[in-house]
Amino acid sequence: MELIYTNKIVKGKKLDFSIADVNEVYEGSVGVLWEILMGEQIHVGADVQTDIMAQKAGVNKNTSVLDVCSALGGPARHLARKYGCKVTGLDATMKMVDEAVKRTEKEGLMHLVTNKLGNALDMPFKAAAFDIVWGQDAWCYVTDKERLIKEACRVLKTGGIIAFTDWVQSGNMADKEWEDLNCFMAFPYMETFAGYEQLLKQAGFVIIEKEDRSPDFAKYCHIYQDKLRNELKSAIISQYGAQMWKAADNGLALWVKAADEGKVGWGRMIGRKV
Ligand SMILES: C[S@@+](CC[C@H](N)C(=O)[O-])C[C@H]1O[C@@H](n2cnc3c(N)ncnc32)[C@H](O)[C@@H]1O
């Protein structure tokens, strides 16, 4: 399956992935596979984690939320439905935005949710437009995290909240392992918790919370592997072929091992723009 990458050029401490690669992944069957594995909220912990972060970020009916890398818009609709807030979803993949629009219309949430095509590195919004900038398990795809955080700061009102979860590098690893893990996901690189903390402070945020939930991440990696190997195996093979299933299984096995060894993890950061 060509859209599961096996090698990419390493440039400095980054793999040479671009927005075009991300588009290929999420326009194709791999994007669909993620929804099958994780649900329409394509992140660890689904709506449970969305609610935890909503409470911590202070989402309510008076807040405007920008979900950066919103994919199918699952979290955006959940927030609008449950908290009555206005949500703008921003995503760079046309297929994801089209699908998010369709699902928003189907649920009759157009008065609260807007889905927009655009790049997180050049957000198509005016300064100080939002109360909350939100992200779940997606900023690992972004090629320049420093610029992403600066953009988030620009579009936030003073006193506004940045709240996100992400997949991070949490331990040392050999170059080959680092390349294989990132290549499988089409990540240019993963930040570390300390790296995110520094980027947030540099951009003008005070850190409200930094929560390392890596043990949960390892548990979820096992859950996804188990689903892939058991309940979803025959459906995926009949729909996408044995080669795709095998490539997915090989890649996921690398992630399960790295998560068990504490080399990759996941967690939440919350900051306030001062
Ligand atoms: C794992 S999915 C996001 C899941 C979503 N946050 C959720 O919780 O349901 C990754 C998404 O990030 C988007 N993406 C990656 N890089 C991007 C960028 N630079 N700007 C905007 N969207 C981007 C992809 O198109 C894809 O839809």
Side-chain angles (χ1 to χ4, degrees), residues 19 22 26 42-43 69 71 75 91-93 96 118-120 136-138 141:
I19 200 77
V22 169
Y26 281 92
I42 313 176
H43 59 250
C69 302
D91 200 279
T93 303
M96 290 285 129
N119 193 332
Q136 284 173 290
D137 299 18
Y141 285 102

Side-chain angles (χ1 to χ4, degrees), residues 73-200:
R77 289 188 298 284
H78 179 84
L79 291 175
R81 209 187 296 124
K82 186 153 179 180
Y83 302 92
C85 55
K86 286 214 158 83
V87 190
T88 302
L90 176 71
D91 200 279
T93 303
M94 180 69 93
K95 182 179 171 189
M96 290 285 129
V97 176
D98 286 347
E99 195 53 44
V101 168
K102 264 190 228 154
R103 296 183 194 195
T104 303
E105 286 173 358
K106 196 170 169 204
E107 276 200 55
L109 285 170
M110 295 86 77
H111 59 300
L112 291 176
V113 179
T114 308
N115 298 284
K116 208 168 164 68
L117 182 70
N119 193 332
L121 295 177
D122 193 9
M123 297 183 193
F125 307 108
K126 290 187 179 156
F130 298 96
D131 299 305
I132 297 172
V133 170
W134 177 279
Q136 284 173 290
D137 299 18
W139 295 1
C140 34
Y141 285 102
V142 177
T143 51
D144 183 343
K145 270 77 150 169
E146 182 178 1
R147 184 163 161 180
L148 164 71
I149 301 289
K150 280 189 184 154
E151 271 293 86
C153 191
R154 181 184 67 77
V155 301
L156 267 179
K157 295 173 188 168
T158 301
I161 296 290
I162 186 169
F164 63 96
T165 53
D166 206 11
W167 297 24
V168 295
Q169 183 168 344
S170 48
N172 293 327
M173 58 184 99
D175 289 350
K176 176 78 172 73
E177 188 176 13
W178 178 88
E179 273 177 55
D180 289 346
L181 286 165
N182 283 290
C183 258
F184 171 65
M185 297 298 302
F187 294 164
Y189 67 104
M190 281 173 281
E191 241 339 313
T192 58
F193 282 114
Y196 266 134
E197 189 170 359
Q198 198 184 343
L199 293 180
L200 286 164

Side-chain angles (χ1 to χ4, degrees), residues 53-70:
M53 196 156 81
Q55 269 136 37
K56 288 176 183 277
V59 173
N60 63 56
K61 66 178 174 28
N62 299 315
T63 49
S64 57
V65 180
L66 171 65
D67 184 2
V68 178
C69 302
S70 47

